[in-house]
């Protein structure tokens, strides 16, 4: 058993800590042996389940299924962190950078004349 304090409510850092603990040598054998390829089907299935909840306008279901999609993102990110390639924080930074870049009418001096501004090409990622 790992040293972990249970809480009433968990946040982003807790999620990352839990995933790291699951992948640690004293963690879960199943979680440790997973790869991007072995998790691929899970990622796709969770995405379809989230879409189904959206289509059904099932708010509690959306919350649960979006959490499952987030778990997939964190799982893959932690596997990459273990290889020294990128971290979950790099993923968050990348999407935040993209949102700021794609919305100069909100975060810059541009004015939004129409919705075409959302199709601005993305900046190049460093990895």
């Amino acid at each position: 058993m790992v040293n972990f304090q249970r809480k009433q409510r968990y946040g982003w850092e807790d999620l990352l800590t839990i995933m790291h603990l699951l992948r640690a040598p004293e963690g879960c054998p199943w979680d440790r042996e997973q790869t991007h390829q072995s998790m691929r089907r899970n990622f796709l299935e969770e995405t379809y389940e989230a879409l189904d909840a959206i289509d059904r306008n099932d708010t509690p279901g959306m919350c649960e299924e979006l959490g499952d999609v987030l778990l997939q993102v964190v799982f893959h990110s932690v596997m990459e962190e273990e290889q020294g390639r990128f971290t979950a924080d790099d993923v968050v930074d990348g999407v935040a950078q993209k949102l700021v870049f794609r919305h100069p009418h909100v975060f810059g001096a541009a004015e939004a004349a129409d919705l075409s501004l959302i199709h601005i090409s993305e900046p190049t990622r460093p990895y």
Side-chain angles (χ1 to χ4, degrees):
M1 182 179 283
V2 298
N3 184 16
F4 181 76
Q5 184 175 347
R6 291 176 178 253
K7 299 179 178 181
Q8 288 292 328
R9 187 170 174 89
Y10 298 102
W12 173 252
E13 291 301 323
D14 297 315
L15 177 59
L16 292 174
T17 297
I18 291 166
M19 194 71 249
H20 282 109
L21 290 171
L22 290 172
R23 296 272 300 172
E26 65 278 5
C28 175
W30 184 89
D31 287 292
R32 279 195 318 270
E33 74 179 25
Q34 298 312 304
T35 66
H36 292 301
Q37 281 306 113
S38 70
M39 293 297 293
R40 186 180 185 282
R41 182 180 302 268
N42 299 52
F43 204 149
L44 189 58
E45 180 180 321
E46 298 301 351
T47 302
Y48 279 123
E49 290 175 2
L51 293 173
D52 180 59
I54 291 168
D55 289 346
R56 291 182 291 106
N57 198 27
D58 175 3
T59 303
M62 280 190 279
C63 184
E64 179 181 348
E65 298 305 337
L66 290 172
D68 291 344
V69 171
L70 178 60
L71 169 60
Q72 294 299 310
V73 172
V74 168
F75 207 133
H76 286 272
S77 298
V78 167
M79 285 190 279
E80 284 301 302
E81 181 177 347
E82 293 167 355
Q83 300 300 314
R85 293 188 281 243
F86 64 82
T87 68
D89 286 340
D90 293 326
V91 174
V92 170
D93 176 62
V95 72
Q97 294 282 351
K98 186 185 298 185
L99 287 170
V100 171
F101 181 82
R102 286 185 175 177
H103 295 85
H105 57 291
V106 176
F107 301 107
E111 291 186 27
D114 57 43
L115 295 180
S116 65
L117 283 176
I118 64 170
H119 298 291
I120 297 171
S121 52
E122 300 175 27
T124 306
R125 297 298 302 153
Y127 37 81

